[in-house]
Amino acid sequence: MSSVDSDDNARKNGGDKIKVSHNIAVLRPKANHEQNLKEYIEDAKDKFSRVFCGVVASWSDVVWDITGSQSTQSATKSTARKNVLFTQSSGLGRKIKSSASDQLSFDEPFMSFAKAYVVHRQYRKTVTSQNHMEHVILLRRVYEQLIKSGSSKCITSAHQGLFRETARGIVSGPDRLSTESSQYKSVNILKAIANELDEHKLTKVPIEFKSNVSRPNHYGGHEHARGDKQSKLRRAEKLPKTTVLLFLAALWKHYDELEERDKDLTCIAVILMIMGFRMDEVVGLDINCIPTKEEFEKQSFEIDPKTGVMVRILSMRVIAKKGAGWQSKQVPIGCEDIIFTAVQRLSDLSKNMRDVAKALITQKKCLLLDVYADKEVVTSSELHKAINPDSKSKSTSNLITSLERIGVIFDKTSRPARANLREVNNAIYQSYRESIPTLMDGVGVGGFSIPLYELLNLRFLHEYGKKSSLLFYPVPVSATQVQDYLRGREPTSHGKAWKIKSVFERYDFDEIGEMTDTVSSHAFRHLLNTIMQESDQFSEEDIAKNFLRTSVKDNVSYNHQIEMGEYRERAIRLQTRVLSKINVTEDSAKEAIRRFPTLSHEELEQDLDDMGSYHFMTIGRCHHDYSQEPCGRHYSCLRGCNKYKRKKGSESEVTEITLIRDRAIKQMEVAAADADSGFYGASNWYKSHELLVDGCNTALGIESDPQYQMGDVVHVFPHGDDHCEAAQYE
C-alpha cells in the first residue's frame, strides 16, 4: 500500500493513528477539520508580515496592496497598483470595472480562509498580484456556490459535488467563460483550490476533484497544435503583414512630420522590429544602453562568424525578462545607424521628462514649478500654466481636483484659488513615490541598477490619455500605450465610448493604399525567430541567446515556416517517446494508444491514473502521471517536487542521494569557474546545481530529524511545486 493510500484510509477512519507518512511542515492536519482550518489561518497570520515584507498595512484590510512583493520588476507596469481584493463578484458584465469601495467583501470565516490561501501561496512561491487574483476570482465562484447550496459560508462545508457544480458553471452556465483556454485554465485553478483543501484536510469530507476540461489544441505550444484551419489562422496572425512593415518604414522616413506623441512610439516600434525585444525589455532601455557613436567607431574590428567579414559589433544592454539579469544583445549587421538614430531620438524626446524625474527624486521638487521658486503662494492659474502649457482650456477645476486628491489644500475664498508652493511640491513628490515605489531606488537586478531618470521611455501620461490625473511627473511608457499605438482600441460596451485609432489608421501613404492591418508588439519576435530558424546559419543555442531566452525549448514554437502536416507526426513521436519510458505494461500502453490516437497530456494523465501510477525509484517514491520522460536520475524530485517522498533509514536511498549531491557539488565548481570566465549562461547552471544540492541536503536531513521514526515515509517538500504537472506545460 502506498503512503498516499494509507493517508486516505487514516483520514476516513477518523484519526492519525496509522503513523506511516509525515510532512516536513509546521501544519500537521488533524481529524478535526474545524481545528485544521483554525490552524491554517493562524499559521497564515504568523507568516503574513514576513511573506509580504511589511508592504501590506494590515491583515484586516479588504484590499491588499502587495506592491514591492512582486516576483519580477517591470518598468511597463510600474504605475499599476498590485492589489488583491477579497471581495465578492461585482455582478457587472465582463471587463466592466467597479471601484473596490463599491464591492462587498467576503463574509467570515470565508474571508479569513481566502486571505490565508493567498498567504500560503505566496509563502511557497512569490507570484504576482494578477496570479493571486486569478485564484481569488475562482474563490468567488466557490463562495457563490456555497450560498446557492444552502450551506454555511464556511469553506469546511465544501465537497466534491460543489466543485463539480462550480466547474459546470465555468463551462456551460449563464456566466460561463467564453474561450476554451480560459475555461481550461480556470477549472485547473479550481482543481488547485480543491487540492489545497484536501491536503490540509479543511473540509468535512475528502475532495477528489479532477478537471474534466480538455486541453485546447493551441494551449501549450507546437507539441499540441493540430494541422487544422484554425491552427493555421492562429499562427498566421502571429506574424506581421508586409504592409505593416512597409507602413512602419514610411513612418520612420516621415518622422519629422509625425505628431509629438507618435514620435517616441515609432522609435519603440522600430527597435522592436529590428531587435525583437519583449515589451518589458524595450521599455526598460536607458540612455547608456549602447555606446556613443564615437566610442563605437573606436572599437576594433571583429570577424563576423556568419559572413567572414571584418565588422564592428554593436550590442544593446537590457534587462532580460526571463534571463533575470542584465544581458547584451547584438544589433544585426547593417542596422547600427538605425539603432543609433532611434536611441538618440528617444533621448532627445525624453530629456525634459528625465530632468523632471531627477529633480523630484534627488531634490524633492517639481521642476515644472521652478519658475515660481521665489513664491510662497501660487494661484491655480499659475499651476495650470506651468503643468499644462499646451492646454487650450483655461479651466483649472480638473487640476485643482487632481492636486486635492494627492493632498494639496487650496484656499478657495480667493479668485483664483491659491495654494502653498512648498506643500504642492511635497505632495507631488510623495505621490510620485507612491506611484512607482519599486522603481524609485533604480531599475535593475544583480547588484547593478540605473536611476529611474535615465530611462529612455519616460513620459507624462496626459500626453496619451484623456482621463489621466497623473499630470505632474513622468513614468515609463506602459504596454497599453504601445498596444493602442500598434493595434488601436474598439469602443467600450459601457459608459462613455470612444474608439482609439491605431497609428495605421491615423496616417496615410499613397504608395501603401488603404490600411486595415495592425500588429502586436510580440509579432516581431515571431518574424525574426522564423528568419533565423530558416536561414540554417544559426544553432539552436545561437537563436535562444539572441532572444535572451533561458533555454532553446521555445525556439520551435516561434518558427512559423514549419509545414502544418508535420504536427501529427510530432504528436505521434511524442506519444511514442512518452509511452516507451513510462512504467506500465505493454498491454496498458497499447490500450492507451488505441483509446487516444492523437494523445494529449491530459488524456494520458487520466488514463495512467486509472492504471495506477505510483512510481518507486532508487531515491524514494513519486506519485505522478508519467506523462513526461523521467529526468536524468529523477533530479526534478530533488529540486522541490511536492510529489516526492522517501523512507527514513533506507541505506540505498541515502547512498544514491549522496552520490547525486557530490556530483552536483563538483559541477557547481566547474560552473562557477566558467561564470568567472564569462561563459554565457554559466551562472544559471550554477544556480540549477545549487538548487539540486539544497534539495539533496533536505532529503538527507530527515535521517537526523528526531521527530521521524525509522521506516517512516516522509513528504520531503510538501510546499514545493508539482514538477511533473509543470513539465506538461513547458
Side-chain angles (χ1 to χ4, degrees):
M1 178 185 295
S2 70
S3 60
V4 173
D5 295 332
S6 299
D7 287 344
D8 289 344
N9 289 337
R11 178 178 181 177
K12 293 172 184 177
N13 291 332
D16 295 332
K17 298 178 181 179
I18 303 177
K19 189 174 183 181
V20 178
S21 179
H22 304 273
N23 286 339
I24 300 179
V26 174
L27 295 176
R28 294 197 182 91
K30 310 292 190 305
N32 188 325
H33 56 275
E34 294 180 353
Q35 181 65 25
N36 290 339
L37 178 61
K38 180 179 179 181
E39 293 182 2
Y40 183 81
I41 294 172
E42 290 301 321
D43 187 57
K45 288 181 177 179
D46 181 59
K47 295 173 179 174
F48 169 71
S49 59
R50 289 179 286 128
V51 165
F52 291 115
C53 307
V55 299
V56 180
S58 171
W59 169 275
S60 61
D61 291 345
V62 176
V63 178
W64 287 1
D65 182 356
I66 66 171
T67 305
S69 296
Q70 297 284 351
S71 56
T72 56
Q73 183 187 62
S74 173
T76 60
K77 299 178 181 178
S78 59
T79 59
R81 307 313 302 172
K82 310 323 190 269
N83 289 335
V84 180
L85 285 70
F86 299 99
T87 57
Q88 304 177 37
S89 298
S90 64
L92 302 176
R94 293 180 65 248
K95 297 185 178 180
I96 300 179
K97 297 180 180 179
S98 65
S99 63
S101 59
D102 294 334
Q103 299 179 35
L104 296 175
S105 61
F106 291 130
D107 291 329
E108 291 290 357
F110 194 91
M111 168 73 91
S112 293
F113 162 72
K115 291 179 177 179
Y117 179 78
V118 168
V119 170
H120 285 298
R121 290 190 73 241
Q122 187 81 357
Y123 180 75
R124 290 193 286 267
K125 182 180 180 181
T126 303
V127 296
T128 64
S129 60
Q130 180 181 352
N131 186 287
H132 283 310
M133 279 307 302
E134 289 174 349
H135 284 249
V136 171
I137 289 172
L138 269 298
L139 285 174
R140 288 173 176 172
R141 286 184 174 264
V142 173
Y143 181 79
E144 292 169 356
Q145 198 62 41
L146 281 170
I147 297 175
K148 287 180 182 179
S149 65
S151 304
S152 67
K153 297 177 183 179
C154 183
I155 195 63
T156 57
S157 300
H159 50 83
Q160 189 165 318
L162 183 139
F163 274 85
R164 286 177 178 171
E165 285 299 317
T166 305
R168 187 175 294 112
I170 292 171
V171 177
S172 58
D175 297 325
R176 66 181 182 276
L177 301 181
S178 57
T179 64
E180 290 182 347
S181 295
S182 57
Q183 291 174 6
Y184 171 78
K185 184 176 182 179
S186 295
V187 174
N188 273 276
I189 292 177
L190 196 63
K191 177 183 175 182
I193 295 172
N195 289 344
E196 182 80 357
L197 294 173
D198 220 35
E199 178 183 349
H200 296 283
K201 301 180 183 177
L202 304 180
T203 55
K204 298 176 182 177
V205 294
I207 299 177
E208 297 177 355
F209 173 75
K210 290 186 178 181
S211 172
N212 59 354
V213 180
S214 299
R215 182 177 190 160
N217 293 340
H218 64 280
Y219 197 105
H222 69 284
E223 294 284 17
H224 290 276
R226 305 291 192 258
D228 53 18
K229 292 182 180 179
Q230 289 78 11
S231 295
K232 292 180 180 179
L233 179 61
R234 282 192 297 268
R235 289 175 62 77
E237 289 175 345
K238 290 184 179 181
L239 288 177
K241 304 296 188 294
T242 303
T243 51
V244 168
L245 302 178
L246 292 174
F247 202 100
L248 289 174
L251 288 173
W252 186 250
K253 182 178 180 180
H254 295 273
Y255 175 82
D256 293 332
E257 304 168 25
L258 302 179
E259 294 182 35
E260 196 69 18
R261 65 178 182 141
D262 289 327
K263 288 183 176 180
D264 64 319
L265 296 175
T266 300
C267 292
I268 290 175
V270 168
I271 293 176
L272 286 169
M273 184 167 57
I274 292 176
M275 302 299 294
F277 285 133
R278 302 178 181 91
M279 179 55 61
D280 287 316
E281 294 166 349
V282 74
V283 171
L285 292 174
D286 65 282
I287 56 177
N288 297 311
C289 62
I290 58 173
T292 64
K293 202 162 188 178
E294 293 73 19
E295 293 171 339
F296 174 68
E297 291 174 350
K298 292 179 181 179
Q299 289 181 194
S300 58
F301 284 91
E302 302 177 38
I303 297 179
D304 181 7
K306 306 304 178 187
T307 63
V309 178
M310 297 293 290
V311 294
R312 293 188 178 96
I313 303 297
L314 177 64
S315 296
M316 295 191 76
R317 184 191 64 195
V318 66
I319 303 178
K321 181 179 179 181
K322 293 190 177 179
W326 291 95
Q327 295 190 27
S328 294
K329 180 174 181 179
Q330 180 180 334
V331 176
I333 303 300
C335 297
E336 294 88 352
D337 287 341
I338 298 177
I339 294 299
F340 275 121
T341 302
V343 171
Q344 185 59 53
R345 285 174 172 175
L346 286 172
S347 179
D348 293 341
L349 289 168
S350 63
K351 184 181 186 308
N352 183 39
M353 293 80 166
R354 289 186 283 109
D355 289 342
V356 171
K358 185 174 182 178
L360 274 171
I361 293 173
T362 59
Q363 303 175 40
K364 301 183 180 181
K365 70 175 184 178
C366 182
L367 201 61
L368 298 175
L369 306 179
D370 212 32
V371 291
Y372 306 116
D374 296 333
K375 289 189 174 184
E376 290 187 5
V377 177
V378 289
T379 67
S380 58
S381 299
E382 290 173 329
L383 291 173
H384 182 73
K385 183 178 179 180
I387 292 175
N388 292 316
D390 300 325
S391 175
K392 297 179 181 179
S393 172
K394 295 184 179 180
S395 173
T396 62
S397 59
N398 288 340
L399 178 65
I400 291 175
T401 301
S402 298
L403 287 171
E404 286 180 334
R405 188 177 294 121
I406 64 174
V408 177
I409 300 176
F410 279 89
D411 178 8
K412 297 181 181 179
T413 59
S414 60
R415 291 288 185 272
R418 302 172 184 274
N420 184 285
L421 181 60
R422 181 180 299 176
E423 292 180 0
V424 174
N425 272 311
N426 184 63
I428 292 176
Y429 167 72
Q430 293 298 334
S431 179
Y432 197 28
R433 286 198 65 90
E434 293 173 5
S435 69
I436 45 176
T438 59
L439 302 183
M440 284 298 290
D441 296 327
V443 183
V445 292
F448 174 68
S449 62
I450 56 173
L452 174 67
Y453 47 80
E454 290 187 4
L455 289 184
L456 282 170
N457 294 298
L458 289 180
R459 294 293 174 267
F460 294 119
L461 288 189
H462 69 280
E463 296 179 0
Y464 300 95
K466 295 183 178 180
K467 299 189 299 181
S468 175
S469 61
L470 300 174
L471 310 179
F472 325 110
Y473 39 73
V475 294
V477 170
S478 72
T480 300
Q481 291 158 11
V482 178
Q483 177 176 293
D484 288 344
Y485 168 86
L486 292 174
R487 308 193 73 174
R489 197 189 310 177
E490 292 300 319
T492 56
S493 59
H494 64 283
K496 182 180 179 181
W498 68 81
K499 174 182 173 64
I500 298 178
K501 293 183 178 181
S502 71
V503 69
F504 305 108
E505 298 174 276
R506 292 188 280 105
Y507 294 92
D508 295 311
F509 298 101
D510 295 336
E511 298 84 353
I512 299 177
E514 184 178 356
M515 187 70 176
T516 58
D517 297 318
T518 60
V519 67
S520 69
S521 63
H522 214 65
F524 302 114
R525 281 178 72 83
H526 285 265
L527 176 62
L528 295 174
N529 193 105
T530 299
I531 293 173
M532 293 187 72
Q533 288 275 10
E534 296 302 307
S535 69
D536 292 329
Q537 296 183 17
F538 304 92
S539 68
E540 293 297 314
E541 289 76 13
D542 289 336
I543 296 172
K545 182 178 179 180
N546 182 69
F547 290 98
L548 308 180
R549 297 183 181 125
T550 55
S551 67
V552 302
K553 64 183 181 182
D554 286 339
N555 290 349
V556 67
S557 298
Y558 282 74
N559 183 5
H560 292 261
Q561 294 298 325
I562 299 173
E563 290 296 328
M564 295 305 295
E566 293 184 13
Y567 279 106
R568 181 173 177 80
E569 297 177 11
R570 288 189 177 198
I572 294 174
R573 289 199 299 270
L574 171 66
Q575 171 182 315
T576 304
R577 185 172 74 245
V578 171
L579 290 176
S580 66
K581 298 293 184 180
I582 61 179
N583 186 24
V584 296
T585 65
E586 183 178 353
D587 290 340
S588 298
K590 289 180 179 179
E591 175 65 15
I593 295 172
R594 184 188 68 78
R595 290 176 57 188
F596 305 111
T598 54
L599 197 65
S600 73
H601 287 162
E602 286 67 38
E603 293 163 336
L604 177 60
E605 176 184 354
Q606 294 169 9
D607 190 68
L608 293 175
D609 279 345
D610 293 339
M611 297 174 189
S613 57
Y614 210 89
H615 182 52
F616 292 84
M617 305 171 292
T618 55
I619 61 171
R621 60 196 68 182
C622 181
H623 188 233
H624 65 87
D625 52 40
Y626 291 103
S627 64
Q628 294 290 314
E629 294 182 27
C631 56
R633 291 187 176 274
H634 311 289
Y635 290 162
S636 287
C637 297
L638 290 167
R639 286 195 172 96
C641 182
N642 63 15
K643 301 294 185 183
Y644 170 55
K645 300 182 180 183
R646 66 165 301 258
K647 183 179 179 181
K648 180 172 181 177
S650 173
E651 294 183 4
S652 60
E653 292 178 10
V654 170
T655 301
E656 186 72 14
I657 297 171
T658 303
L659 179 62
I660 293 173
R661 181 191 63 182
D662 293 346
R663 287 177 178 173
I665 291 174
K666 293 180 180 179
Q667 290 169 335
M668 284 176 62
E669 295 172 354
V670 174
D674 287 344
D676 293 338
S677 301
F679 280 82
Y680 173 78
S683 58
N684 292 333
W685 280 66
Y686 180 89
K687 293 177 182 177
S688 177
H689 296 319
E690 185 178 38
L691 183 62
L692 178 59
V693 170
D694 291 342
C696 289
N697 289 333
T698 301
L700 293 172
I702 70 171
E703 295 297 318
S704 57
D705 195 325
Q707 65 178 313
Y708 307 116
Q709 304 297 322
M710 286 295 180
D712 285 348
V713 177
V714 182
H715 197 168
V716 181
F717 307 108
H719 298 303
D721 297 323
D722 187 344
H723 289 179
C724 302
E725 181 177 345
Q728 299 178 49
Y729 311 128
E730 292 182 350

